[in-house]
Amino acid sequence: MENLLTTLNQVTPCGTSSGFVELFEYELSSVIGSNAADSWSADQRADFMMFYTLFSANTVAAFSIRDALRRENVENLTKELIIELESDLYELSSFASGLELYELEAALDQYIEILVDGDMGVDGTIAAITGNYFKTFFLTLHSLDIENRIKMVKSPITL
C-alpha cells in the first residue's frame, strides 16, 4: 500500500481545496445547465445533487488530510492525526463504503460525456481532460482504504 501522502500529492497538485472546489463547481454547473440535464427525471437530479455534496465534502477532506500530513512531516496517519482528522477520515471512509465503485465510475463517465458533448475541438478536449482528472481524483479517493489504514495505526505491532 503506497503511503497516503504520496497518493494525495499525486491527485491534489492544484494547491488548495478551495481552488479545486471552484473548478469542480464550474464544471458541474456546466453539467446541470446542459441540454442533457433538461430531460433528467427528479431522481436523476437528486442523484446529481447527492454526488455534488459527496464530491465537495470528500474534496475538502482529502486536502485537509494531505495538509495535515505535510504539516506533521509524515507520510501516513499517526494516532494523533487520526484523532485530529476524525471527521475528514470518516468522510472518506463513508464515501468508499457507501458508494459502489461501478456507480461512481458510471456517474463520472456520464458527467464527462455531458461536458464533452461531442465537441472534438479544443473546448471538448479541455472538458475531457478536466473530467478525466476529476474521475481519477475521485476513484483514487474511493480506493484509499482509509478504514484499513486506521486499523494499521491503532493495532499494536506484533513480531
Side-chain angles (χ1 to χ4, degrees), residues 6-68:
T6 298
T7 302
L8 291 174
N9 278 335
Q10 289 171 348
V11 294
T12 58
C14 63
T16 66
S17 64
S18 61
F20 189 91
V21 168
E22 185 178 317
L23 177 61
F24 178 69
E25 287 175 344
Y26 173 79
E27 294 299 332
L28 287 182
S29 68
S30 296
V31 169
I32 198 69
S34 71
N35 290 335
D38 288 343
S39 62
W40 284 357
S41 68
D43 286 344
Q44 287 172 304
R45 289 186 180 280
D47 286 348
F48 177 84
M49 293 311 296
M50 179 200 63
F51 274 112
Y52 171 79
T53 302
L54 276 173
F55 293 162
S56 296
N58 280 279
T59 296
V60 171
F63 277 85
S64 295
I65 293 166
R66 181 206 64 185
D67 293 346

Side-chain angles (χ1 to χ4, degrees), residues 95-146:
F95 176 62
S97 65
L99 188 62
E100 294 294 330
L101 187 60
Y102 74 90
E103 292 174 320
L104 175 62
E105 193 164 13
L108 291 166
D109 285 342
Q110 178 188 12
Y111 300 150
I112 292 168
E113 184 179 322
I114 290 169
L115 284 172
V116 175
D117 191 29
D119 184 342
M120 298 309 220
V122 173
D123 290 343
T125 301
I126 292 169
I129 291 168
T130 304
N132 282 300
Y133 172 74
F134 286 128
K135 182 178 178 180
T136 299
F137 177 81
F138 289 111
L139 291 177
T140 300
L141 294 187
H142 192 276
S143 68
L144 285 176
D145 198 11
I146 293 295

